[in-house]
Amino acid sequence: MRTYQDIDNFSEWKVEEQNQFSLAVTKGLIIDMVRKANSGHSGGPMSSADFTQILFTEYLNFDPNDPGWFNRDRFVLSAGHESALIYSILIQIGWLNMDDIKNFRQLHSRTPGHPEVEIPGVEATTGPLGQGFGMAVGMATAESMLRARISDLVDHFTYVVASDGDFQEPIVLGAGSMAGHWGLSRLIVYYDSNNAQISGNVDRSDSTNYAQVFEGFGWHVQEIDGHDHDQIREAIEKAQVVDRPSLIIGTTVMAYGSATMEGNHETHGAPLPQEEIDATKEKLNLPTEQFYLPKEVVNHFQSRFADMSALVTKWNSNISAACNDEKFKRLWDVTVADNISNVELPQFESGTSLATRKAFGATLDKFAEQVPSIVGGSADLEPSNYTGNFKHAYGDFTKENRKGRNLAFGVREFPMAAAMNGMALHGGVIPFGGTFLVFADYERPALRLGAIQHCRVIHEFTHDSFWVGEDGPTHQPIEHAMALRAIPNFNVFRPADAKETAACFRLALDQKETPSALLLTRQGVKVMDQSMDNTVKGVSKGAYPVVDCENPELIFLATGSEVGLAMEVAESMNEKKIRVVSMPCWEIYETQADDYKNELIPTRGAMKISMEAGILLGWERYVGPNGLSIGINHFGASAPGKDLAQEFGFTADQVEQKIRSHLANLL
Ligand SMILES: Cc1ncc(C[n+]2csc(CCOP(=O)(O)OP(=O)(O)O)c2C)c(N)n1
Ligand SMILES: [Mg+2]
């Protein structure tokens, strides 16, 4: 039996002895990290360590000198609570250091409780179970699209380590069915099936046959002993060559390798007791010393580095050679290098009436011609979302048509949004996805995770108010615009007309660090009589006057379809000095200079009146204590939109009356 005492002769050990000892060192780091932080997860990382260590040391391709190398294999730890595992690996690659490891879960450390995408070697922020899987499906989609559309120079694998909790989350089923349908052959998911979760054994709550389920989805499925290294290698190699996404279900033991706590679900989210750690280290032939990481083990871990660096050099020179071709170079620049600028806008005729969802469709068509990296589609609301032309022009992405740019997501809003995040994280594509605004709730966890990760994704949300009409209260967004505004680093655009829609869409393309939602009308709204340049300038400030005067007495603040309403009311109250402000994006407005904000919406002086067909909560920040908010604080109803406007007080006459009586009451 080889132990740490024999480390000086490490090079003479048998390879399998070296592997086993290296794995033991990784486990030692895991249990020490969690113990020192007095917080974190030990059991899961120990059960999935075999697969992960073998993957990183023998199969995963990356550039040891550049975690951002474009054609690297992606690795997503969907079981984000197993972060100690990935950090113990990243230190051996050299992307983290020992201080990082010792500061696990501490403020400003590069080893936070769950993996965060800013850390070199972490491809996606994970922790909310299921979403890592969903993002990986997006990454594999982006890879497959680029492989077909650019060249085989992009041809990496996407690997996932997922746990019981991931598979219990329905998003895994939706994303899994999408991946199977699209035949994402370079997606390889390892399921660490350790029959343990927080509250007990998995069989208390789950008896699903995931092998059958995923076979049904069109996946290649293998079931192995997740602690048998030869089985792991064989499974990975088979998964790499099949023409479908692969699921490798590894039957494992919780806290595998621990002295007395193997199989104990209580190791899920706790440090092992110190005596257990000591006994475990003895069992694993490790010294009792904390954070033991001998250079021999690191060198062993890095034994493929020279070969991988050579691979990267060759890839780089292939890219340079390919770029001698002007056409390829242009494509590469716009897609992978993401150099897009001066995207030309569509034109819309002032005075006509056009639903902003239709304007979105027209803008999408115009942008898609110029920006080949735009890909996406609708969650089965293609006619309503006006993405049909895009589909006709560029075709569906399918097993047979890898060059298709339209993604027929099916009625899978949450998987769609998670996959969009994955695509954005992958790079080379700019994803959009459409549904009704009311179903933003179905996507919300991914909207939040996209914002945390600074993903440039474009969410198209049509049918943005009670004006939806006959479909009734279940389909009428009420609290949704505000609920989206509550997400940090998330731009909510509610354009007032077709021109603003195009300007907002282009702004969303430019926002490389922030997801965007475009809230669009089902019903026609008048195209305002202003130049496109003026619209672009105004929209880029988040809020701007569309009707103006010196020293206004009243300032109307409106978004989307209510801007037209505000203008109408202003017209009929023309004995007063009124400014109408269109506020297509609060978040961008908030970043403007104080001078601009104080001038446009002064805190004192003018009375502020907000108009938005949604909840009032939030508007008090702009209208102040004496202002007035016109909105709707209850669910809608099923009736034609016009009747609802009357019922809910959204006609120009009713709004004017409300304003006049508010003013009278104040006097
Ligand atoms: C969406 C979501 N719900 C709940 C949690 C809290 N949580 C973290 S891990 C976990 C389940 C643990 O079981 P398993 O996935 O099998 O991990 P293991 O214990 O095997 O490491 C739960 C419920 C979470 N992270 N994400
Ligand atoms: Mg488990």
Side-chain angles (χ1 to χ4, degrees), residues 163-164 192 194-197 202 254:
S163 62
D164 297 299
D192 179 50
N194 62 15
N195 192 29
Q197 58 190 113
V202 171
M254 190 67 165

Side-chain angles (χ1 to χ4, degrees), residues 2-56:
R2 299 287 193 170
T3 76
Y4 71 98
Q5 284 155 325
D6 202 15
I7 191 77
D8 290 344
N9 301 315
F10 190 75
S11 60
E12 290 154 25
W13 296 17
K14 289 197 197 108
V15 175
E16 199 42 38
E17 289 171 337
Q18 293 175 333
N19 288 342
Q20 285 295 351
F21 188 75
S22 298
L23 181 63
V25 167
T26 299
K27 288 187 180 178
L29 290 174
I30 292 166
I31 56 183
D32 284 346
M33 284 173 81
V34 179
R35 181 75 254 169
K36 177 156 190 291
N38 197 23
S39 135
H41 302 78
S42 318
M46 292 177 82
S47 69
S48 39
D50 294 87
F51 177 88
T52 310
Q53 176 104 3
I54 289 176
L55 179 68
F56 270 83

Side-chain angles (χ1 to χ4, degrees), residues 359-381:
F360 173 89
T363 309
L364 175 64
D365 298 340
K366 184 84 181 170
F367 288 180
E369 272 171 27
Q370 306 169 71
V371 186
S373 43
I374 294 180
V375 301
S378 165
D380 196 35
L381 286 170

Side-chain angles (χ1 to χ4, degrees), residues 359-534:
F360 173 89
T363 309
L364 175 64
D365 298 340
K366 184 84 181 170
F367 288 180
E369 272 171 27
Q370 306 169 71
V371 186
S373 43
I374 294 180
V375 301
S378 165
D380 196 35
L381 286 170
E382 195 166 279
S384 302
N385 291 154
Y386 278 88
T387 59
N389 277 352
F390 179 81
K391 189 251 161 206
H392 287 301
Y394 304 105
D396 276 342
F397 171 75
T398 63
K399 279 182 197 161
E400 293 75 30
N401 181 25
R402 296 288 178 199
K403 290 191 172 163
R405 287 167 63 181
N406 187 73
L407 291 159
F409 286 111
V411 194
R412 300 187 185 98
E413 294 84 2
F414 184 16
M416 169 174 80
M420 286 164 67
N421 289 340
M423 288 183 232
L425 292 168
H426 182 279
V429 291
I430 304 174
F432 73 91
T435 185
F436 289 158
L437 176 56
V438 83
F439 302 134
D441 288 343
Y442 276 52
E443 303 186 31
R444 192 170 178 90
L447 305 184
R448 180 170 198 272
L449 210 55
I452 288 181
Q453 298 180 95
H454 296 269
C455 290
R456 180 200 19 204
V457 289
I458 297 168
H459 298 282
E460 181 207 6
F461 293 125
T462 66
H463 298 57
D464 71 345
S465 72
F466 69 77
W467 278 100
V468 166
E470 293 84 345
D471 275 342
T474 56
H475 283 53
Q476 292 165 3
I478 296 292
E479 72 280 23
H480 297 76
M482 274 310 167
L484 292 178
R485 290 186 185 120
I487 304 175
N489 188 42
F490 190 90
N491 285 335
V492 181
F493 292 97
R494 190 162 187 255
D497 72 351
K499 290 178 188 173
E500 280 198 6
T501 302
C504 290
F505 194 164
R506 193 169 71 180
L507 212 49
L509 280 183
D510 292 340
Q511 299 280 317
K512 295 194 177 176
E513 297 287 319
T514 306
S516 296
L518 296 167
L519 279 46
L520 306 167
T521 65
R522 173 186 184 225
Q523 78 279 19
V525 290
K526 204 172 134 199
V527 182
M528 287 188 280
D529 187 13
Q530 61 175 345
S531 72
M532 192 53 122
D533 281 354
N534 204 49

Side-chain angles (χ1 to χ4, degrees), residues 50-106:
D50 294 87
F51 177 88
T52 310
Q53 176 104 3
I54 289 176
L55 179 68
F56 270 83
T57 51
E58 299 179 32
Y59 295 98
L60 197 80
N61 282 328
F62 54 91
D63 180 353
N65 298 311
D66 176 12
W69 177 47
F70 194 76
N71 198 36
R72 67 193 182 278
D73 287 338
R74 303 313 198 256
F75 172 79
V76 178
L77 183 64
S78 193
H81 62 280
E82 298 188 10
S83 59
L85 171 61
I86 182 78
Y87 301 149
S88 302
I89 299 270
L90 293 179
I91 187 179
Q92 297 183 65
I93 297 181
W95 292 340
L96 291 181
N97 60 42
M98 195 44 95
D99 282 345
D100 295 320
I101 297 298
K102 290 181 178 168
N103 282 312
F104 181 45
R105 295 187 150 231
Q106 304 310 304

